[in-house]
Amino acid sequence: MKAAAFLLVLFAGVAQSHGQQPVDGARWLEKIYNATQKLSYSGTFVYRRGEHSETSRITRLVDASGDVEKLEALDGVPREVVRKGDEVRCYLPESMTVKVDRRTDRRSFPAMLPAQISSIGEHYTITKGETARIAGFECQAIVLTPKDALRYGYKLWADTRTGMLLKARIFDDKGNAVEEFTFTQLRVGGNIDRRRLEPTLRARGKEWHIENSAVFPVKLAESGWIVKPALPGFQKVIEVRRMLRESQQVGQVVYSDGLAAVSVFIESIKGRREPVQTGLSSMGGINIYTREVSNHVVTVVGEVPATSVQRVINSVEYRRPQ
Amino acid sequence: MKSNISALMDDELQDPEHAAPLRALHDDETALQAWREYHIVGDALRGTRVLSADFSARVAARLAEEPTVLAPRRVAKAVDRNRRWMTLSATASLAAVGMVGWLAFAPQRGAVPDSVPLAQTPQAVQTRPAEARPVPLPSGANDYLLAHQTYSPRSGLQGVAPYVRTVSERGRPR
């Protein structure tokens, strides 16, 4: 009994000292996440992928009555995304549609606990980079270099004072940027009128057509679907059934390694108006693979390189339930 | 024609000259006989091991038994330029492979249904795991993207900013 107690104290001591000396880069990561949860801000940022670039305005207000965020596209076709607590509404005036989604599982919301950061550290090397001045803020760069070729790398520039993320670059195994977000103007804190966070796109005399995602948890294995992505470090985050368009029911399984997520969508081929194009398409740091499996369309959307998305879609199988 | 058959075997013909002897092999029994004889002679000269007499027939019969892997696909009526390009190149490569397949089984023409070479050989062309065939973004890509971004850990770093990663509703990425 005495030996066991001694070992317990020893382990506890080791665990505590480990927690007291976190990796410097990991501490910065935690600072960025805390800032995203707690800060109110408004600013303008540029999103770049390849030749394409576009400017957007983003506003966030955190106060006693909850947190609200709004994204407005300033280039091209107007679009707006408004998040109030767990509900996200996307206003798409081209089709006069509002797509409504809700985060059903609190645990799936990526709140950053120290345990999650340490699991990121298993698959990415976290280091401090240079300091830089961005949009008038003195920033510290943090680099997350993947330990394998299955994921992208991240370089994050955070304001040294508040931890606010000013710039993020996602890069591939050759060091080329696949995606970049940069604030060109930012104000942290200050008086933000809650009315500014209401959607501004006018309905132009017509009614917005509302599409609800109607998400509920499900076990796709019960319908015969087997998904074994074989991506080290990626854990299943959530498994739901939802509406994708007005009438298309789809199963969705999401995997994540703490930084990147991969969604597997499975839907019956009957709802499809157009034939399935099997193959890979890319959009900056997002790769999408589409394939037909047993009269269903499987679509994998991943914030990971094409080879990883391919690996996931090849692991999707259907076995008719007995 | 016999000298052309011989030249075809020895790979001495330039591209447009293939057409006539190939047509002859298909249509003309004597040309086919010449093809068989030249091969037997060639095998004998090289000391190649002789396969059993009905080898080709048995292989062809086994192939005919195998289920066709490719399910017929509905082809969209409106085909945009990119898709047409890919269809042409795919057809060209299928035709090339089909041609090789046909020639291998030509001596036993009676046992080989015309559709077999083209239906079977695409399996080899299509299941290359290393190369991913690039396609345009799927129809309704926005819906997948939005549903995906709900659960992306990027919201913990950037709030709703990553939602800017959408496509124009006409299907072209912005």
Side-chain angles (χ1 to χ4, degrees):
Chain A
M1 183 49 89
K2 268 191 182 171
F6 174 72
L7 282 171
L8 208 64
V9 170
L10 188 66
F11 281 129
V14 168
Q16 196 175 27
S17 67
H18 197 70
Q20 278 167 353
Q21 289 152 22
V23 176
D24 210 6
R27 191 170 55 80
W28 271 99
L29 201 57
E30 201 172 339
K31 192 167 171 175
I32 294 170
Y33 282 115
N34 284 331
T36 312
Q37 303 280 324
K38 293 169 186 155
L39 291 179
S40 298
Y41 55 83
S42 76
T44 311
F45 72 90
V46 177
Y47 160 65
R48 264 184 216 92
R49 64 157 190 261
E51 295 292 311
H52 170 85
S53 107
E54 67 177 283
T55 312
S56 306
R57 187 181 298 129
I58 187 167
T59 316
R60 185 192 168 110
L61 175 62
V62 182
D63 66 12
S65 43
D67 61 338
V68 191
E69 267 186 283
K70 182 169 132 184
L71 171 76
E72 300 162 74
L74 295 174
D75 290 340
V77 180
R79 284 153 288 146
E80 278 184 4
V81 175
V82 178
R83 184 184 65 77
K84 282 182 188 167
D86 282 343
E87 187 188 83
V88 178
R89 288 177 169 247
C90 300
Y91 294 84
L92 303 165
E94 277 183 311
S95 56
M96 292 299 300
T97 306
V98 189
K99 293 183 194 277
V100 184
D101 203 354
R102 191 179 286 274
R103 286 194 284 242
T104 50
D105 183 0
R106 259 279 154 202
R107 276 170 296 134
S108 75
F109 178 59
M112 267 303 126
L113 309 160
Q116 251 160 310
I117 292 183
S118 80
S119 82
I120 290 176
E122 282 171 30
H123 299 280
Y124 300 83
T125 310
I126 309 175
T127 51
K128 274 169 74 174
E130 77 284 4
T131 54
R133 194 158 171 274
I134 301 170
F137 290 79
E138 293 295 333
C139 297
Q140 171 67 55
I142 314 298
V143 185
L144 296 118
T145 312
K147 292 180 180 173
D148 56 32
L150 295 169
R151 38 207 116 216
Y152 286 126
Y154 299 76
K155 188 166 182 182
L156 310 171
W157 287 261
D159 172 32
T160 49
R161 192 177 64 86
T162 60
M164 177 76 196
L165 188 66
L166 265 291
K167 180 168 165 170
R169 176 186 296 154
I170 292 86
F171 55 90
D172 65 13
D173 56 355
K174 294 181 185 65
N176 298 322
V178 292
E179 210 172 78
E180 199 172 273
F181 292 75
T182 315
F183 271 95
T184 53
Q185 177 266 320
L186 176 69
R187 188 172 173 214
V188 177
N191 277 333
I192 296 172
D193 187 346
R194 194 164 263 259
R195 283 171 298 182
R196 274 178 60 187
L197 288 139
E198 292 301 314
T200 51
L201 292 176
R202 301 241 167 273
R204 271 177 298 163
K206 292 186 254 176
E207 285 290 309
W208 283 106
H209 175 65
I210 298 177
E211 281 179 14
N212 255 302
S213 60
V215 174
F216 62 91
V218 82
K219 282 194 169 41
L220 292 175
E222 285 167 10
S223 324
W225 289 99
I226 300 159
V227 185
K228 287 193 183 132
L231 281 181
F234 279 81
Q235 307 291 333
K236 189 188 293 192
V237 167
I238 199 164
E239 194 171 354
V240 296
R241 199 167 276 286
R242 68 187 299 134
M243 297 302 283
L244 211 51
R245 269 140 244 138
E246 191 139 32
S247 51
Q248 184 67 2
Q249 262 225 349
V250 72
Q252 179 185 7
V253 196
V254 184
Y255 301 89
S256 172
D257 69 356
L259 271 183
V262 180
S263 287
V264 180
F265 295 96
I266 302 172
E267 65 197 285
S268 165
I269 202 167
K270 290 194 204 96
R272 266 326 249 225
R273 273 170 273 150
E274 290 165 36
V276 179
Q277 291 234 70
T278 300
L280 174 79
S281 49
S282 292
M283 218 187 68
I286 298 181
N287 287 290
I288 303 176
Y289 210 109
T290 311
R291 190 161 80 96
E292 235 181 89
V293 177
S294 292
N295 284 320
H296 285 72
V297 181
V298 179
T299 311
V300 176
V301 176
E303 294 159 322
V304 287
T307 45
S308 301
V309 161
Q310 234 178 313
R311 197 189 267 213
V312 173
I313 205 166
N314 287 339
S315 80
V316 178
E317 267 180 61
Y318 177 75
R319 264 175 232 160
R320 191 188 300 276
Q322 296 306 311
Chain B
M1 184 47 71
K2 273 194 174 180
S3 62
N4 280 349
I5 301 290
S6 164
L8 180 69
M9 259 184 65
D10 298 331
D11 199 20
E12 283 166 3
L13 294 178
Q14 300 297 324
D15 224 358
E17 299 164 38
H18 286 142
L22 283 174
R23 240 196 330 275
L25 282 171
H26 190 272
D27 297 333
D28 182 4
E29 203 50 50
T30 50
L32 203 49
Q33 188 60 30
W35 174 270
R36 287 191 198 123
E37 283 164 8
Y38 289 144
H39 273 93
I40 291 169
V41 167
D43 285 344
L45 287 172
R46 283 184 293 270
T48 311
R49 203 164 70 86
V50 176
L51 297 165
S52 62
D54 61 341
F55 175 78
S56 302
R58 285 191 285 119
V59 173
R62 282 280 298 279
L63 276 175
E65 273 169 31
E66 275 179 24
T68 309
V69 171
L70 284 181
R73 288 175 198 273
R74 267 174 293 131
V75 177
K77 281 191 181 132
V79 178
D80 72 356
R81 234 176 242 130
N82 285 337
R83 275 203 249 159
R84 200 184 293 136
W85 180 87
M86 280 189 271
T87 311
L88 275 176
S89 70
T91 309
S93 57
L94 283 181
V97 181
M99 190 66 79
V100 171
W102 185 84
L103 284 174
F105 298 111
Q108 293 294 331
R109 226 193 73 195
V112 177
D114 281 341
S115 63
V116 167
L118 282 173
Q120 294 300 327
T121 46
Q123 202 177 351
V125 174
Q126 293 232 346
T127 55
R128 277 174 303 187
E131 268 175 61
R133 179 182 154 213
V135 295
L137 285 160
S139 66
N142 241 359
D143 297 299
Y144 297 116
L145 289 166
L146 293 173
H148 169 79
Q149 278 165 147
T150 309
Y151 305 104
S152 166
R154 294 281 285 281
S155 58
L157 285 169
Q158 298 182 264
V160 288
Y163 278 85
V164 73
R165 300 178 299 180
T166 54
V167 230
S168 128
E169 284 168 21
R170 283 172 221 101
R172 274 162 294 135
R174 285 199 190 80

